[in-house]
Structure formats: C-alpha cells, structure tokens
Amino acid sequence: QVQLVESGGGLVQAGGSLRLSCAASGRSIFRFDAMGWYRQAPGKQRELVARINSGGSTNYADSVKGRFTISRDNAKNAVSLQMNSLKPEDTAVYYCHALRGGDDYWGQGTQVTVSS
C-alpha cells in the first residue's frame, strides 16, 4: 500500500525559506510516473506547484518559478520542495501527490504560513 507522508511545514516570515519533504512508502519513487506538490489556500482551488516526472523533468507554476525547487532524495525515497523568498500569498496547505498509471496518491497535507 502506497503512503505519502509530508513534513517540514510551519510558520515563516516573508522572504524566508522552508523545505518540505514527502516520504513514500510501499513503492520506490522511481516507480511513479510523476510526483509533485499541490497547494490549497482557503477559499481557493487546489493548484499544482511543482512536479517531477520519472525521467527527472520538472515543471513549476509561474507564481513559484525561480523561487521553488523540486528534487528527489534517492536515499530517503522522498521528494522535496525547497521554497525560498516566500511570500504571504504562498500561505496554503501543501499536499504531496504521486501518479502511477490511473492511480493518484495524496499525502495528508502540511500547513505553510508566511507572515508579512
């Protein structure tokens, strides 16, 4: 059974940094077609933040390009999201996502709050 567990959220001042981690159990991260991070702010729809596919290609939401970096940690079987130059509008619950064929897997979410 696949499980995704996020960690690393918290409260940070604008301009600061946080690193989120998503540890996968039950399957190697390289067996997923893609893994990524989504976020959902209050009253808004869930949106894609960053994604990395099995070949290592990445894509980012325009709002985070140049500030966020997604990467894989082979030793930990995890995917990380390094978030720099955080802005108050980055405040949201961040969810880890994995895709394998027609199956979607989600983590429980981790809160990121950026104060101005």
Side-chain angles (χ1 to χ4, degrees):
Q1 183 177 356
V2 174
Q3 283 190 317
L4 304 175
V5 179
E6 302 105 333
S7 61
L11 173 64
V12 65
Q13 288 188 329
S17 298
L18 282 174
R19 186 177 182 88
L20 305 183
S21 182
C22 172
S25 62
R27 178 170 287 162
S28 167
I29 59 173
F30 294 98
R31 297 293 299 273
F32 292 113
D33 299 322
M35 294 189 73
W37 291 91
Y38 286 72
R39 67 186 180 187
Q40 187 167 20
K44 295 188 177 181
Q45 289 188 330
R46 191 172 296 189
E47 62 175 358
L48 175 67
V49 176
R51 179 167 49 205
I52 184 166
N53 67 19
S54 57
S57 298
T58 59
N59 62 288
Y60 298 90
D62 288 343
S63 59
V64 307
K65 283 181 181 177
R67 300 189 297 124
F68 291 12
T69 303
I70 189 170
S71 61
R72 293 183 294 209
D73 187 331
N74 303 343
K76 296 181 179 179
N77 202 42
V79 173
S80 296
L81 184 69
Q82 178 66 41
M83 306 186 293
N84 299 328
S85 302
L86 282 160
K87 304 175 181 180
E89 51 264 44
D90 294 318
T91 295
V93 178
Y94 284 69
Y95 296 90
C96 180
H97 172 259
L99 176 68
R100 171 73 175 174
D103 296 326
D104 289 279
Y105 304 93
W106 293 94
Q108 80 285 357
T110 185
Q111 177 69 45
V112 171
T113 303
V114 184
S115 63
S116 56

